[in-house]
Amino acid sequence: MDISNKVILITGGNGGIGWALAKSLCTKGAKKIYVTYLNDGDINIDSIIGATVIEPLKLDVTKKEQVKNIALKCADADIVINNAGVEYATSFTDANTLEAAELEMKVNYHGTHYVSYYFLPYLRQKPKALLINILSIGGFVLVNKLGTYCASKAATHFLTKGLRQDCKNSNVTVMGVYPGYVDTDMTTNLNVEKVTPDSIAESIILGIENDSEIVFPDIMSNNLKDTVFWDNAIFETLTS
Ligand SMILES: NC(=O)c1ccc[n+]([C@@H]2O[C@H](COP(=O)([O-])OP(=O)(O)OC[C@H]3O[C@@H](n4cnc5c(N)ncnc54)[C@H](OP(=O)(O)O)[C@@H]3O)[C@@H](O)[C@H]2O)c1
């Protein structure tokens, strides 16, 4: 898809990957970007970059009514990016595991489902539209000490596959993006090698321009991609 003149919505757009994406989309000539944020305190968004208008909007993706209203307000969006996410670094038996797992599932899975559900009727009215879900390698491999997060991303991986099936042969492409470790607030406490949010944004832009349904945006995810293709091949066989 050609990004120039498109209207785009990014949830959690003031975070590391979200804001890197917004900046990259501006350089490609996007007409308008709705950047949603959760906390008033850390909103720091320029109102215009180049020729692109940036409109910040407050949105908690776990609140169905808010999502429904935002979808109505932003019905002109051609591309919707489900990027909002949380990760609490918990395994399944840690003291705070039950609360962490619930919150991760609420934001990462249910939030993505709500946004997809309420925006799809509008996306279906466009000549060509794109729904992008920012997933994780944790959606298809279990990462040590991030168990509850991985479970929420695995649920969202299945959601993405199901949405793709529901949109098959339509004007809407459903893209899943599977990053490895990225250097953002989410990974501050993880002492591992990380890539920059800007490099992830560049890979996603390339995916948009090439109409890709699946994007492995870094070396770590690329090394694991056969797992996803194998899983997809079985899914195709079972559903054909
Ligand atoms: N960093 C990594 O290594 C990595 C790897 C794979 C996948 N990912 C995924 O990439 C996406 C972006 O993460 P990031 O690394 O850029 O982290 P980040 O900088 O912490 O950004 C996360 C964003 O999500 C927003 N958010 C959290 N809860 C929300 C809610 N209930 N409603 C709406 N927005 C909410 C945050 O808003 P506030 O700032 O206003 O709280 C923030 O803007 C996430 O889906 C994450 O799971 C990240």
Side-chain angles (χ1 to χ4, degrees):
M1 179 187 276
D2 181 10
I3 293 162
S4 62
N5 264 324
K6 294 294 186 300
V7 177
I8 299 154
L9 177 132
I10 309 174
T11 67
N14 58 325
I17 294 175
W19 186 238
L21 259 173
K23 284 185 300 175
S24 295
L25 289 162
C26 289
T27 67
K28 292 287 179 180
K31 180 174 165 189
K32 182 173 191 178
I33 307 183
Y34 298 109
V35 169
T36 85
Y37 63 94
L38 179 64
N39 294 305
D40 292 315
D42 54 24
I43 182 80
N44 180 20
I45 291 169
D46 304 349
S47 57
I48 289 192
I49 298 181
T52 309
V53 176
I54 307 267
E55 183 170 343
L57 293 169
K58 193 169 167 66
L59 172 67
D60 181 341
V61 296
T62 68
K63 304 282 191 286
K64 276 200 278 274
E65 275 307 305
Q66 282 187 29
V67 176
K68 191 176 172 182
N69 291 336
I70 289 277
L72 183 61
K73 180 182 167 30
C74 307
D76 56 344
D78 307 282
I79 303 177
V80 172
I81 307 181
N82 274 306
N83 166 75
V86 291
E87 177 266 294
Y88 295 111
T90 30
S91 294
F92 295 102
T93 52
D94 289 347
N96 62 336
T97 186
L98 300 183
E99 293 75 16
E102 277 177 25
L103 286 170
E104 286 165 337
M105 200 57 95
K106 255 188 189 159
V107 179
N108 301 347
Y109 171 70
H110 292 291
T112 302
H113 194 185
Y114 296 166
V115 171
S116 307
Y117 177 81
Y118 285 117
F119 269 94
L120 268 171
Y122 301 113
L123 291 177
R124 288 187 196 277
Q125 291 170 23
K126 306 284 176 311
K128 199 170 178 188
L130 179 59
L131 178 70
I132 304 180
N133 291 345
I134 308 297
L135 305 163
S136 165
I137 55 159
F140 57 91
V141 291
L142 183 65
V143 182
N144 192 26
K145 304 209 189 296
L146 301 182
T148 57
Y149 171 77
C150 291
S152 73
K153 287 293 184 178
T156 317
H157 165 63
F158 277 95
L159 167 68
T160 306
K161 289 174 60 164
L163 290 170
R164 188 175 299 129
Q165 189 67 12
D166 293 351
C167 294
K168 204 171 175 175
N169 301 325
S170 81
N171 62 317
V172 185
T173 300
V174 177
M175 179 198 290
V177 181
Y178 297 86
Y181 294 116
V182 190
D183 194 6
T184 67
D185 286 355
M186 185 174 280
T187 55
T188 309
N189 296 325
L190 294 181
N191 190 16
V192 291
E193 203 170 315
K194 304 164 198 171
V195 300
T196 64
D198 287 341
S199 69
I200 296 294
E202 288 312 314
S203 299
I204 296 171
I205 298 285
L206 209 62
I208 296 174
E209 291 175 335
N210 291 332
D211 290 323
S212 308
E213 289 190 331
I214 301 176
V215 171
F216 300 99
D218 52 73
I219 292 175
M220 188 179 188
S221 64
N222 245 294
N223 286 340
L224 294 164
K225 69 180 175 193
D226 285 349
T227 321
V228 174
F229 286 135
W230 174 75
D231 177 45
N232 269 350
I234 292 182
F235 180 66
E236 289 294 327
T237 313
L238 291 175
T239 51
S240 62

